[in-house]
Amino acid sequence: MARVYRAADIGDEIFQKKVAVLGYGSQGHAHARNIQDSGGEVAVGLYKGGGSWGRAESDGMNVMTVADAVDWADVVMMLLPDEKQPEVFENEVAPNLSESMLMLFAHGFNVHFNQIRVPENVDLGLVAPKGPGHVLRRLYTEGNGMPSLFAVQNDATGEARSLILSYAKAIGSGRAGVLETTFEEETETDLFGEQAVLCGGLTSLLTAGYETLVEAGYQEEAAYYECVHELKLIVDLIYEGGLENMRYSISNTAEYGDYTSGPRIIDEGVKDRMREVLADIQNGHFARDWVLENKSGGASFLSMRDKQARHDITRVGSGLRAMINEGVEG
């Protein structure tokens, strides 16, 4: 069984270092604020005059340009969007890295697929919280934590492992557990989870269920409630106690339907297609397509986003959520 590190297993080396967090979006604001609240010395690296600059300052952060933040720091965490990282790294980060520094990423995509190459005299590691940044921040403020993965890709100083673990502790993950991985494993499992289950698989399943009921003549609102709205209740039960807790909490009728109908939907053919998705991730086909999509301006990506935004499920859901919220506020 893999070892999970907790706060008591991890030192406080990060508090002897200056940490630059590049980006102040969902993950960036959470990392920066959690480390600062833990007692660390932090600067946020941003584009001068960008929309996040004022927000970071109002949150009490020390804000610098990306280049200045890297030059100032001992540890640099890259939390810009994946598609923006290579250019920023080449132009603003790499020229300001020096020997014995630690370069961190929260997702291994660009390193694993060779879009970014960190010099060999610089320590290279990964700290990847397993959830959105706003949840990472909320859990921290509540005295809890979010699990993280960590990896050591290059240990030029001989001190990278302890420093990376202490970074994970400083963002609160030592409270929940920190699991060792590799850049390869984190990248490929993360992409697969997003595409086949958590995002791509789930949204396609919800949409297909909604469409099946509506096409059979049932009300749009009833279909949305049944196939989309109630999902949170089921996911919360699974989050709290696993599949067994969900099955314990639902009716015997629902549990019987789970066992008898679930495998008719998610059958071996679905797993075969999941294996195809995983193979495209492992062999670099997905990464190649995503890199080329961004280099061409993202027209196909934006078209897909627009198409999904115009689906009836979006309109119906928006109306129902507004009604629910109005009732709660009233």
Side-chain angles (χ1 to χ4, degrees), residues 99-120:
E99 187 175 356
S100 79
M101 291 179 69
L102 169 62
M103 185 74 215
L104 288 173
F105 293 81
H107 180 39
F109 183 94
N110 283 306
V111 172
H112 180 55
F113 292 115
N114 298 312
Q115 300 302 300
I116 288 177
R117 291 177 172 83
V118 177
E120 292 184 0

Side-chain angles (χ1 to χ4, degrees), residues 3 18 107 136 177 229 254 270 309:
R3 179 178 178 183
K18 295 181 289 187
H107 180 39
L136 174 67
H229 182 78
V270 172

Side-chain angles (χ1 to χ4, degrees), residues 15 19 23 39 50-51 65 67 81 86 93 101 104 115 118 138 169 180 194 196 201 205 210 250 260 286 289 309:
F15 300 134
V19 180
T65 65
V93 177
M101 291 179 69
L104 288 173
Q115 300 302 300
V118 177
R138 175 173 58 79
K169 177 182 175 181
E180 188 163 13
E194 291 168 350
L205 182 65
Y210 170 87
I250 61 178
T260 58
F286 171 79
D289 290 348

Side-chain angles (χ1 to χ4, degrees), residues 277-296:
V277 168
L278 180 57
D280 281 345
I281 291 168
Q282 293 170 327
N283 62 30
H285 286 177
F286 171 79
R288 178 203 61 200
D289 290 348
W290 179 230
V291 170
L292 291 175
E293 177 70 20
N294 283 286
K295 287 183 177 178
S296 66

Side-chain angles (χ1 to χ4, degrees), residues 114-300:
N114 298 312
Q115 300 302 300
I116 288 177
R117 291 177 172 83
V118 177
E120 292 184 0
N121 64 348
V122 174
D123 287 349
L124 172 60
L126 175 86
V127 176
K130 298 314 294 174
H134 68 276
V135 180
L136 174 67
R137 177 60 182 166
R138 175 173 58 79
L139 289 171
Y140 180 93
T141 60
E142 294 172 349
N144 300 311
M146 175 182 289
S148 281
L149 304 180
F150 85 99
V152 183
Q153 181 90 343
N154 185 45
D155 188 3
T157 65
E159 301 174 353
R161 183 185 182 84
S162 59
L163 188 56
I164 294 167
L165 275 167
S166 69
Y167 182 101
K169 177 182 175 181
I171 63 173
S173 291
R175 301 169 181 174
V178 187
L179 175 68
E180 188 163 13
T181 186
T182 63
F183 270 70
E184 177 184 29
E185 182 177 66
E186 186 279 332
T187 301
E188 294 178 358
T189 58
D190 186 73
L191 291 174
F192 176 80
E194 291 168 350
Q195 293 172 31
V197 181
L198 302 176
C199 302
L202 179 60
T203 57
S204 293
L205 182 65
L206 298 180
T207 303
Y210 170 87
E211 290 175 346
T212 299
L213 288 178
V214 172
E215 290 165 3
Y218 298 101
Q219 296 180 83
E220 292 177 323
E221 293 80 6
Y224 187 90
Y225 274 139
E226 193 59 44
C227 293
V228 182
H229 182 78
E230 287 192 33
L231 179 67
K232 183 181 185 304
L233 307 177
I234 299 300
V235 170
D236 283 348
L237 292 171
I238 295 171
Y239 180 86
E240 292 162 6
L243 298 178
E244 64 273 25
N245 181 59
M246 180 272 287
R247 286 167 173 153
Y248 170 80
S249 303
I250 61 178
S251 69
N252 289 339
T253 306
E255 186 180 359
Y256 179 74
D258 172 359
Y259 300 142
T260 58
S261 296
R264 297 171 62 190
I265 304 301
I266 309 299
D267 59 11
E268 194 62 28
V270 172
K271 287 185 66 177
D272 286 341
R273 291 186 289 278
M274 284 184 169
R275 295 182 185 105
E276 292 173 3
V277 168
L278 180 57
D280 281 345
I281 291 168
Q282 293 170 327
N283 62 30
H285 286 177
F286 171 79
R288 178 203 61 200
D289 290 348
W290 179 230
V291 170
L292 291 175
E293 177 70 20
N294 283 286
K295 287 183 177 178
S296 66
S300 177

Side-chain angles (χ1 to χ4, degrees), residues 46-63:
L46 296 171
Y47 303 113
K48 186 71 174 180
S52 298
W53 191 288
R55 184 163 66 92
E57 285 187 328
S58 68
D59 287 339
M61 305 307 305
N62 179 20
V63 187

